[in-house]
Amino acid sequence: MCKDGVNHYGSLCTELYERLHARAPEDELAFYLSYARPGQRILEPLCGSGRFLVPFLERGLDIRGMDASEEMLSRLREKAPRARVERADLAAYSPGERFDYIFISSGSVSLFTDLELCKGILRRIRGLLAPDGVFVFAVDTVAARCPDDKEYRLAVSVPAGDGSELRLRTKNHYDPASQTQFSPGIYERYRGAALLEQETMDFQTHLYRYGEMEGYLAEAGFSRVTTYATFTKEPAVDDRCEMFLFECAADG
């Protein structure tokens, strides 16, 4: 996974992510699977460590993945050595084929806080779709804003398999002018009271308002866009849901 073309997922972050999110949530997985059909060529950009890609493979679907994080892709290859995945920057990704179905899960599109870059990525994805292809993805909304914190606080602590403990300390700040949620994090490995490793992550997300992304999709060439508020495909009507799910297609 990446933000603005830069890999922000180090080894500690990847290890903690795997322990917390090894499997895709069933409702979210069912949502993305609902668009998949046997014989389709499927692409998952920003596939991370494969918590969605691997279940697609297990169902016999023809899926390909890409991500900017080699740490995440290494974990994916451990789970599925034959998976067709590659390290790449989505903004410049050119696989030489077009796809019937493209999806980006987990609100990862919100990581592109440079909106001009985001618009360019939407245009690139439009160009990767086959005729009658569908693009499905999620973003976070302004309703998902976190309360501001002045100091770092312990967000999560989990045991690692070697007897050490993984910890994440984070804080949040929201900039209403840019609709950007800043959530820097400090990842640490402890054994008892001893700090063994530490890495930082500059995590940022753009929080969307109702109707905002729809305009960007129209600019990118998508002529048919449906916006949902839930994985059960309840239509979105305002900003009060914490995510928007988009089903996008284009004529011709």
Side-chain angles (χ1 to χ4, degrees):
M1 301 176 74
C2 67
K3 180 187 75 63
D4 297 356
V6 179
N7 174 14
H8 286 262
Y9 286 75
S11 59
L12 287 181
C13 174
T14 300
E15 184 176 350
L16 181 58
Y17 182 91
E18 274 292 280
R19 293 191 176 277
L20 294 176
H21 308 291
R23 297 178 61 85
E26 290 298 326
D27 56 348
E28 189 176 3
L29 176 60
F31 173 79
Y32 290 110
L33 281 170
S34 72
Y35 294 93
R37 302 289 182 272
Q40 286 181 324
R41 291 161 297 172
I42 302 171
L43 173 68
E44 185 188 4
L46 313 184
C47 62
S49 59
R51 62 178 184 154
F52 288 91
L53 189 144
V54 172
F56 272 66
L57 283 177
E58 291 172 344
R59 288 163 172 79
L61 295 164
D62 180 10
I63 186 169
R64 179 170 175 168
M66 58 77 57
D67 201 285
S69 171
E70 186 57 41
E71 291 88 352
M72 286 285 190
L73 291 177
S74 293
R75 293 300 180 108
L76 193 160
R77 294 185 185 105
E78 291 173 6
K79 303 173 193 176
R82 296 184 181 180
R84 290 194 303 155
V85 295
E86 61 184 307
R87 183 180 182 182
D89 176 359
L90 180 53
Y93 185 55
S94 183
E97 62 178 305
R98 300 175 79 184
F99 299 89
D100 304 297
Y101 173 35
I102 300 174
F103 73 96
I104 300 178
S105 68
S106 307
S108 294
V109 171
S110 283
L111 293 169
F112 296 101
T113 55
D114 180 333
L115 295 182
E116 291 306 312
L117 175 62
C118 184
K119 292 176 185 179
I121 285 171
L122 296 176
R123 291 192 296 270
R124 180 161 294 274
I125 290 174
R126 169 66 182 89
L128 292 175
L129 278 178
D132 300 319
V134 177
F135 173 40
V136 180
F137 68 102
V139 297
D140 298 326
T141 77
V142 289
R145 172 185 171 178
C146 297
D148 284 2
D149 303 308
K150 292 184 178 180
E151 304 293 338
Y152 283 96
R153 59 178 177 81
L154 182 65
V156 66
S157 175
V158 298
D162 61 356
S164 64
E165 179 185 12
L166 298 172
R167 300 179 188 176
L168 168 61
R169 293 186 291 121
T170 187
K171 63 180 179 178
N172 297 288
H173 170 69
Y174 180 67
D175 175 30
S178 63
Q179 296 169 219
T180 302
Q181 178 82 58
F182 296 88
S183 302
I186 302 173
Y187 292 81
E188 299 168 324
R189 186 192 303 276
Y190 277 86
R191 180 168 284 113
L195 175 63
L196 305 180
E197 296 179 74
Q198 185 182 78
E199 66 185 31
T200 60
M201 178 176 172
D202 180 20
F203 191 79
Q204 302 173 18
T205 51
H206 181 78
L207 304 185
Y208 282 84
R209 297 191 180 277
Y210 183 70
E212 181 182 359
M213 175 56 79
E214 289 86 343
Y216 303 157
L217 289 166
E219 289 180 31
F222 292 96
S223 52
R224 289 172 283 149
V225 177
T226 303
T227 309
Y228 300 115
T230 67
F231 294 123
T232 56
K233 301 184 181 180
E234 178 183 350
V237 296
D238 55 33
D239 295 332
R240 288 180 289 181
C241 52
E242 292 193 352
M243 67 177 174
F244 293 135
L245 297 147
F246 298 96
E247 176 187 317
C248 316
D251 297 319

